[in-house]
Amino acid sequence: MNPNLRGGGGGGGGGGPPVHSGGGGNAETIHNMDFAEYRKRGKEMVDYIADYLENIRSRRVFPNVQPGYMRDLVSDSAPQDGEDWDAIFADVERVIMPGVTHWQSPYMHAYFPALNSFPSLLGDMLADAINCLGFTWASSPACTELETIVMDWLGKMIGLPQEFLHSTSNKMSDGGGVIQTTASEATFVALLAARTEAIRRVRQIRPDLDDAEINSRLVGYCSDQAHSSVEKAGLIGLVKLRLVNSDAQMSLRGEAFRSAVEADVADGLIPFFVSRVEGEHIASFRPSYARHSARQEPVHSTI
């Protein structure tokens, strides 16, 4: 399976069209995919996707392949020359589909089918075409503003307090969320935000402590039933994470949480973060405070 070196992404290539060596050493010109061909191939791709989803129940959900199966189906080095699109597209069924786990199949019960409604597929096509980088408002105002509005929609849907919204009664606030690529990344970002705020607040109380010392004493909490991404966030964030035992209904109860916090405070640790999970991969975040040391100063915690 060769990448379409003719197709040129992003800003495209400069100079003349690429050339590859044909038989007998003669140079043969390969043209880039133009607008006319893109329209044709795009329609074909939409038809392929519709056929795939319409008939997905006929495909084996989990592939019957062994690790390394693809090595014998593609070359062991990048191609020097681009391939015809028909040859490239034929490799989807020949090379890719035999090793695909079909998450959208009605027979897929390991996790959950999501993220590919027809409107979302069309939206991805448009987003890929616009291809804006929304890392600041100035880099693409529409991207940033749409994100803040939709995140406020979500915050209101799940009942977050006003402090967690970007705007309140048409006024900007200090709150607000951002869209992350995965649930695991969202958990990690929430932990980092709580860690940063906790270190800032402790420095106000104990200016003699440096950030490393404070970080070494931070401790977060989650249920022993929490998703592995929470524990992974603690490892990457270099903070302690306490798994609190759940009850018979596999719920994190307030008394167990309080006991864990009190024991850690007695050991000189600083509670700063709580992850509470509601349902499959859905976390609820609400403001909470854990008291530490005899000075009873609040340290931010995220639930």
Side-chain angles (χ1 to χ4, degrees), residues 25-87:
N26 296 324
E28 178 184 348
T29 299
I30 300 179
H31 298 287
N32 290 324
M33 181 181 287
D34 57 19
F35 285 107
E37 185 180 5
Y38 175 73
R39 291 177 188 274
K40 176 177 181 293
R41 301 304 188 182
K43 292 180 176 66
E44 292 173 353
M45 182 65 76
V46 169
D47 286 341
Y48 176 84
I49 292 172
D51 289 341
Y52 165 73
L53 293 174
E54 188 174 20
N55 301 295
I56 194 171
R57 65 175 59 245
S58 66
R59 294 181 182 266
R60 179 189 176 102
V61 177
F62 190 77
N64 185 25
V65 296
Q66 298 298 318
Y69 87 95
M70 195 179 291
R71 289 288 181 180
D72 295 332
L73 301 178
V74 298
S75 59
D76 60 358
S77 59
Q80 295 294 318
D81 307 318
E83 281 191 338
D84 178 77
W85 177 257
D86 287 326

Side-chain angles (χ1 to χ4, degrees), residues 201 271 287-291 298-301 303:
R201 294 192 180 194
S288 179
Y289 294 94
R291 302 285 176 173
V299 172
H300 181 73
S301 174
I303 298 180

